[in-house]
Amino acid sequence: MAANISPQRLFLYRLDVGLYRIGLGRLLGRRFLCLEHLGRTTGLTRRTVLEVIAHEGGKPMVPVAFGAATDWYRNLLAQPAAQITWGGMAGPVTVQVLDEAEATVVLARGLDRLVGLGLVDDPAAAARNLPLIRLATT
């Protein structure tokens, strides 16, 4: 993981994955989704809960909040096919990385939803530094 995260905070992040594993992920609504993907070196299934900042036509968009070196993001770049569980639905998706212009528009509308990142002031700067992906159903 790219950021130094305390063990307590990491536990809280992983708690969400546990909810999805026991079938209670729908309690988190459409604000979060569970992304199931393959590890790029191990080939093992990995699960990550991500915050959805926007969606259009049933395609959720999520930021890579801890930067481009984040493992789940690097895994998706290596193997862009994945599965999501989101708002009571589940299915396969393909990853699309948004270009800077499109990411700026999405971030301008959705930055206020990001939990604790403090990026509301400049969506264009955020788009340059914060990869944003769309998860399109396949």
Side-chain angles (χ1 to χ4, degrees), residues 11 14-15 20-22 34 39 44 49 58 68 81 83 88 106 126:
F11 171 78
R14 294 289 177 207
L15 188 61
Y20 281 97
R21 282 188 179 196
I22 62 172
C34 184
L44 297 175
V49 174
Q83 299 254 47
V106 171

Side-chain angles (χ1 to χ4, degrees), residues 13-15 20 26 40 50 63 65 70 73 75 81 83 86 96 100 107 110 112 114 124 126 134-135 137:
Y13 289 147
R14 294 289 177 207
L15 188 61
Y20 281 97
R26 68 186 174 281
R40 65 189 175 284
L50 303 170
T70 303
Y73 179 66
N75 289 344
Q83 299 254 47
W86 179 50
Q96 302 167 343
E100 190 175 316
L107 290 171
D112 59 321
L114 287 169
R134 176 184 296 120
L135 300 167
T137 56

Side-chain angles (χ1 to χ4, degrees), residues 53 63-65 100 103-108 111 114 117-132:
I53 63 165
V64 184
E100 190 175 316
T104 298
V105 171
V106 171
L107 290 171
L111 273 177
L114 287 169
L117 291 180
L119 298 170
V120 178
D121 295 336
D122 190 354
R128 285 190 294 277
N129 299 308
L130 185 75
L132 189 64

